[in-house]
Amino acid sequence: MTPFKGLVLGIETSCDETSASLLDGHTVLTNVVSSQADLHRKWGGVVPEAAARAHVEAIVPVVSEAIGSARPDGIAVTNRPGLVGALSVGTTAAKALSMSWGVPFVGVHHIEGHVLSVFLEGVGPSLPYLCLVVSGGHTELVIVRGVGDYELVGQTIDDAAGEAFDKGARLLGLGYPGGYAVQNAAIGGDPHRYKLPRSLKSDPFNFSFSGLKTAVLRMVEAEQVEVNDAAASLQAAIVDVLAEKSARAIDQFGFKSFALVGGVAANLSLRERLHSECERAGVSFHVPKPEFCTDNAAMIAMAGSFRLASGERDGASLDVFPNSPLPGTA
Ligand code: KG4
Ligand code: ZN
């Protein structure tokens, strides 16, 4: 896992965060994130048109703040998957900067950025490692053998873990974005107060969270819930399922390292639980700092850095894609 020699500018605009980061090897020099959460809160979710417009407004100041007076030697930009209008803003900026500076650029798969985020600020796990990706749109167990060499072991058959947090938060009146709100409301709450389902128990590595959302809806319709206990019960239901299936995969595949990545990896309860599962199994546990779990350009710069180092280059014809499998798993 050799990074690119020189400074890499990362650009991330796939959803509702405009982010730019400057990376030197594994060292994050800057990581600027401009969140659109306030903009989308009134709608209770991301509105694609509004997101694209907000990226247009933010991209120049965010990139300028990230690079300061430095001149990057390479650029990495998220070009898939995500909202097409949003992705286009970052990709167009990357192409323009690449041309005007005369430096190479590569398009990066957003989930590959999360998967490789454990290499930020350190040497990272030994290969191969098992990786649980938990974000707003993805819940996947992946074997990572190298850059672009991934094997999908399991995934959600319906909602992602982040969606379960977000939809549950909305039903509990905890607002948007939901994950962090549920985590805070769960502090001091009783996780055993409300019985919520742990679905798809019989399937070893696939996940299902849509039944949990329905159960939370029934719960709030049936009675006036105590919100801290309800948040704690919801968090425990999500964490239990993620931890049990991860532990099963850790034991079955026998790799020496396990990585927890994606926005939901910022969740303290999940971090603690998987840390102890790894300790039990004698496996080293890797999780990025919370700021590198939620969407950020540093992880895109890291993934792009590995690709640039191996000689990969993209050109002006690079396209953006709303849906795209993780490279190497198609
Ligand atoms: O990776 P990410 O920032 O964006 C996507 O690629 O989707 O993940 C966003 C998701 C949201 O569903 C958000 O509620 C969740 O990560 N999240 C959390 C926490 N912080 C963010 N979920 C649980 N606990 C948190 N502390
Ligand atoms: Zn993400």
Side-chain angles (χ1 to χ4, degrees), residues 17 110-111 114 134-138 161-163 165-166 177-180 183 235 262-264 266-268 293-295:
E17 253 102 37
H110 180 82
I111 298 303
H114 279 301
V134 271
S135 73
H138 290 256
E163 268 178 287
F165 271 108
D166 294 337
Y180 190 63
Q183 172 177 307
Q235 177 173 266
V264 180
N267 185 270
L268 293 176
C293 291
T294 48
D295 284 351

Side-chain angles (χ1 to χ4, degrees), residues 227-246:
V227 73
N228 301 100
D229 292 345
S233 303
L234 171 64
Q235 177 173 266
I238 299 169
V239 169
D240 270 357
V241 171
L242 294 173
E244 273 170 30
K245 304 221 169 183
S246 297

